[in-house]
Coordinates of all heavy atoms in Angstrom, one line a residue:
A1 N -17.5 23.4 -6.8 CA -17.1 21.9 -6.8 C -17.2 21.3 -8.2 O -16.3 20.5 -8.5 CB -18.1 21.2 -5.8
T2 N -18.1 21.7 -9.0 CA -18.2 21.1 -10.4 C -17.1 21.5 -11.2 O -16.5 20.7 -11.9 CB -19.6 21.5 -11.0 OG1 -20.7 21.0 -10.2 CG2 -19.7 21.0 -12.4
L3 N -16.7 22.8 -11.2 CA -15.6 23.3 -12.0 C -14.3 22.7 -11.5 O -13.4 22.3 -12.3 CB -15.5 24.8 -11.9 CG -16.6 25.6 -12.7 CD1 -16.5 27.1 -12.4 CD2 -16.7 25.2 -14.1
K4 N -14.1 22.5 -10.2 CA -12.9 21.9 -9.7 C -12.8 20.5 -10.1 O -11.8 20.0 -10.5 CB -12.9 22.0 -8.1 CG -11.7 21.6 -7.5 CD -11.7 21.9 -6.0 CE -10.6 21.4 -5.2 NZ -10.7 21.7 -3.8
A5 N -13.9 19.7 -10.1 CA -14.0 18.3 -10.5 C -13.5 18.2 -12.0 O -12.8 17.4 -12.3 CB -15.4 17.7 -10.3
I6 N -14.1 19.1 -12.8 CA -13.7 19.1 -14.2 C -12.2 19.3 -14.4 O -11.6 18.6 -15.1 CB -14.5 20.2 -15.0 CG1 -16.0 19.8 -15.1 CG2 -13.9 20.4 -16.4 CD1 -16.9 20.9 -15.5
N7 N -11.6 20.2 -13.6 CA -10.2 20.5 -13.8 C -9.4 19.3 -13.2 O -8.3 19.0 -13.8 CB -9.9 21.8 -13.0 CG -10.3 23.0 -13.8 OD1 -10.3 23.0 -15.0 ND2 -10.7 24.1 -13.1
I8 N -9.8 18.7 -12.1 CA -9.1 17.6 -11.6 C -9.1 16.4 -12.6 O -8.1 15.8 -12.9 CB -9.6 17.1 -10.2 CG1 -9.2 18.2 -9.2 CG2 -9.1 15.7 -9.9 CD1 -9.9 17.9 -7.8
I9 N -10.3 16.2 -13.2 CA -10.4 15.1 -14.1 C -9.5 15.4 -15.4 O -8.9 14.5 -15.9 CB -11.9 14.8 -14.5 CG1 -12.6 14.3 -13.3 CG2 -12.0 13.8 -15.6 CD1 -14.1 14.4 -13.4
R10 N -9.5 16.6 -15.9 CA -8.7 16.9 -17.0 C -7.2 16.7 -16.7 O -6.5 16.1 -17.5 CB -8.8 18.4 -17.3 CG -10.1 18.8 -18.1 CD -10.2 20.2 -18.3 NE -11.4 20.6 -19.0 CZ -11.9 21.8 -19.1 NH1 -11.3 22.8 -18.4 NH2 -13.0 22.0 -19.7
G11 N -6.8 17.0 -15.5 CA -5.4 16.8 -15.1 C -5.1 15.3 -15.1 O -4.0 14.9 -15.5
V12 N -6.0 14.5 -14.6 CA -5.8 13.0 -14.5 C -5.8 12.4 -16.0 O -5.0 11.5 -16.3 CB -6.8 12.3 -13.6 CG1 -6.6 10.8 -13.6 CG2 -6.6 12.8 -12.2
V13 N -6.7 13.0 -16.8 CA -6.7 12.5 -18.2 C -5.3 12.8 -18.8 O -4.7 12.0 -19.5 CB -7.8 13.3 -19.1 CG1 -7.5 13.0 -20.5 CG2 -9.1 12.8 -18.7
E14 N -4.7 14.0 -18.6 CA -3.4 14.3 -19.1 C -2.3 13.3 -18.5 O -1.4 12.9 -19.2 CB -3.0 15.7 -18.8 CG -3.8 16.7 -19.6 CD -3.8 16.6 -21.1 OE1 -2.7 16.3 -21.6 OE2 -4.8 16.7 -21.8
K15 N -2.5 12.9 -17.3 CA -1.6 12.0 -16.7 C -1.7 10.6 -17.4 O -0.7 10.0 -17.7 CB -1.9 11.8 -15.2 CG -0.9 10.8 -14.5 CD -1.3 10.7 -13.0 CE -0.3 10.0 -12.2 NZ 0.1 8.7 -12.7
V16 N -2.9 10.2 -17.6 CA -3.1 8.9 -18.3 C -2.5 8.9 -19.7 O -2.0 7.9 -20.2 CB -4.6 8.5 -18.3 CG1 -4.8 7.2 -19.1 CG2 -5.0 8.2 -16.8
K17 N -2.7 10.0 -20.4 CA -2.1 10.2 -21.7 C -0.6 9.9 -21.7 O 0.0 9.4 -22.7 CB -2.3 11.5 -22.3 CG -3.7 11.8 -22.7 CD -3.8 13.3 -23.3 CE -5.2 13.6 -23.7 NZ -5.3 15.0 -24.2
R18 N 0.0 10.3 -20.6 CA 1.5 10.2 -20.6 C 2.0 8.9 -19.8 O 3.2 8.7 -19.8 CB 2.1 11.4 -19.9 CG 1.9 12.6 -20.8 CD 2.1 14.0 -20.1 NE 1.9 15.1 -20.9 CZ 0.8 15.6 -21.5 NH1 -0.3 15.0 -21.2 NH2 0.8 16.6 -22.2
N19 N 1.1 8.2 -19.2 CA 1.5 7.0 -18.4 C 2.2 6.0 -19.3 O 1.8 5.8 -20.5 CB 0.3 6.4 -17.7 CG -0.1 7.0 -16.4 OD1 0.5 8.0 -16.0 ND2 -1.2 6.5 -15.8
E20 N 3.2 5.4 -18.8 CA 3.9 4.3 -19.5 C 3.4 3.0 -19.0 O 2.9 2.9 -17.8 CB 5.4 4.4 -19.4 CG 6.0 5.6 -20.0 CD 7.5 5.7 -19.9 OE1 8.1 4.6 -19.7 OE2 8.0 6.8 -20.0
A21 N 3.4 2.0 -19.8 CA 3.0 0.6 -19.3 C 4.1 0.1 -18.3 O 5.2 0.0 -18.7 CB 2.9 -0.3 -20.5
L22 N 3.6 -0.1 -17.1 CA 4.5 -0.6 -16.1 C 4.3 -2.0 -15.8 O 3.2 -2.5 -15.9 CB 4.4 0.2 -14.8 CG 4.6 1.8 -14.9 CD1 4.3 2.4 -13.6 CD2 6.0 2.1 -15.3
V23 N 5.3 -2.7 -15.3 CA 5.2 -4.1 -14.9 C 5.8 -4.1 -13.5 O 6.9 -3.7 -13.3 CB 6.0 -5.0 -15.8 CG1 5.9 -6.4 -15.3 CG2 5.4 -4.9 -17.3
P24 N 5.0 -4.6 -12.5 CA 5.6 -4.7 -11.2 C 6.9 -5.5 -11.1 O 7.0 -6.6 -11.8 CB 4.5 -5.4 -10.3 CG 3.2 -5.2 -11.1 CD 3.7 -5.1 -12.6
G25 N 7.9 -5.0 -10.4 CA 9.1 -5.7 -10.3 C 9.1 -6.8 -9.3 O 8.3 -6.9 -8.4
R26 N 10.0 -7.7 -9.4 CA 10.2 -8.8 -8.5 C 11.6 -8.8 -8.0 O 12.6 -8.5 -8.7 CB 9.9 -10.2 -9.1 CG 8.5 -10.3 -9.6 CD 8.1 -11.8 -9.6 NE 6.7 -12.0 -10.0 CZ 5.8 -12.2 -9.1 NH1 6.1 -12.2 -7.8 NH2 4.6 -12.4 -9.5
A27 N 11.7 -9.1 -6.7 CA 13.1 -9.1 -6.1 C 13.2 -10.4 -5.3 O 12.3 -10.9 -4.7 CB 13.3 -8.0 -5.2
Q28 N 14.4 -11.1 -5.5 CA 14.6 -12.3 -4.8 C 15.1 -11.9 -3.4 O 15.9 -11.0 -3.2 CB 15.7 -13.1 -5.5 CG 15.8 -14.5 -4.9 CD 16.7 -15.4 -5.8 OE1 17.3 -14.9 -6.7 NE2 16.9 -16.6 -5.4
I29 N 14.6 -12.6 -2.4 CA 14.9 -12.3 -1.0 C 15.6 -13.5 -0.4 O 15.1 -14.6 -0.5 CB 13.6 -12.0 -0.2 CG1 12.9 -10.7 -0.7 CG2 13.9 -11.8 1.3 CD1 11.6 -10.4 -0.2
T30 N 16.6 -13.2 0.3 CA 17.3 -14.3 1.1 C 16.9 -14.1 2.5 O 17.1 -13.0 3.2 CB 18.9 -14.1 1.0 OG1 19.2 -14.2 -0.4 CG2 19.6 -15.2 1.8
R31 N 16.3 -15.1 3.1 CA 15.8 -15.0 4.5 C 16.8 -15.3 5.5 O 16.8 -16.4 6.2 CB 14.6 -15.9 4.6 CG 13.4 -15.5 3.7 CD 12.2 -16.5 4.0 NE 11.1 -15.9 3.3 CZ 10.1 -15.2 4.0 NH1 10.3 -14.9 5.3 NH2 9.1 -14.7 3.3
R32 N 17.8 -14.4 5.7 CA 18.8 -14.5 6.8 C 19.0 -13.2 7.4 O 18.9 -12.2 6.7 CB 20.1 -15.0 6.2 CG 20.1 -16.5 5.8 CD 21.5 -16.9 5.4 NE 21.4 -17.3 4.0 CZ 22.3 -17.3 3.1 NH1 23.6 -17.0 3.5 NH2 22.2 -17.7 1.9
T33 N 19.2 -13.2 8.7 CA 19.5 -12.0 9.4 C 20.6 -12.2 10.3 O 20.8 -13.3 10.9 CB 18.2 -11.6 10.2 OG1 17.1 -11.5 9.4 CG2 18.4 -10.3 11.0
M34 N 21.4 -11.1 10.5 CA 22.5 -11.2 11.5 C 22.3 -9.9 12.4 O 22.1 -8.8 11.9 CB 23.8 -11.1 10.8 CG 25.0 -11.1 11.9 SD 26.6 -11.2 11.2 CE 26.8 -9.7 10.4
V35 N 22.2 -10.2 13.7 CA 22.1 -9.1 14.7 C 23.5 -8.9 15.3 O 24.1 -9.9 15.8 CB 21.0 -9.5 15.7 CG1 21.0 -8.4 16.8 CG2 19.7 -9.6 15.1
I36 N 23.9 -7.7 15.3 CA 25.2 -7.4 15.9 C 25.0 -6.7 17.2 O 24.2 -5.7 17.2 CB 26.1 -6.5 14.9 CG1 26.4 -7.3 13.7 CG2 27.4 -6.1 15.6 CD1 27.0 -6.5 12.6
G37 N 25.5 -7.2 18.2 CA 25.3 -6.6 19.6 C 24.6 -7.6 20.5 O 23.6 -8.2 20.1
A38 N 25.1 -7.7 21.7 CA 24.5 -8.6 22.7 C 23.8 -7.8 23.9 O 23.5 -8.4 24.9 CB 25.5 -9.5 23.2
G39 N 23.7 -6.5 23.7 CA 23.0 -5.7 24.7 C 21.5 -5.9 24.7 O 21.0 -6.8 23.9
V40 N 20.8 -5.1 25.4 CA 19.3 -5.2 25.5 C 18.7 -5.0 24.1 O 17.9 -5.8 23.6 CB 18.8 -4.2 26.4 CG1 17.2 -4.2 26.4 CG2 19.2 -4.5 27.8
A41 N 19.2 -4.0 23.3 CA 18.7 -3.7 21.9 C 19.0 -4.9 21.0 O 18.1 -5.3 20.3 CB 19.3 -2.5 21.4
G42 N 20.2 -5.5 21.1 CA 20.5 -6.6 20.2 C 19.7 -7.8 20.6 O 19.2 -8.5 19.6
I43 N 19.5 -8.1 21.8 CA 18.8 -9.3 22.2 C 17.3 -9.1 21.8 O 16.7 -10.0 21.3 CB 18.9 -9.6 23.7 CG1 20.3 -10.0 24.0 CG2 17.9 -10.6 24.2 CD1 20.6 -10.1 25.5

C-alpha cells in the first residue's frame, strides 16, 4: 500500500507539472423549447 501510494502520488505530481491553467467556460442559454409530436410521448 505504501509503495503504491508513492507511485500514485508521483503520477499525480507529473500530471500537475503538465496541467495548463484552465478557466471555466460560459455559455449563453436561450430558454425556449419546441416539442414536435402530439402523441403520448410528445405530450
Side-chain angles (χ1 to χ4, degrees):
T2 300
L3 292 174
K4 188 175 176 183
I6 291 167
N7 285 327
I8 287 172
I9 295 168
R10 284 178 179 161
V12 176
V13 167
E14 291 302 321
K15 181 180 188 313
V16 170
K17 285 179 182 180
R18 290 161 178 78
N19 278 1
E20 294 183 21
L22 300 177
V23 178
R26 295 204 175 262
Q28 190 172 5
I29 298 173
T30 304
R31 295 183 167 263
R32 284 187 245 158
T33 304
M34 178 171 71
V35 176
I36 299 174
V40 174
I43 291 171

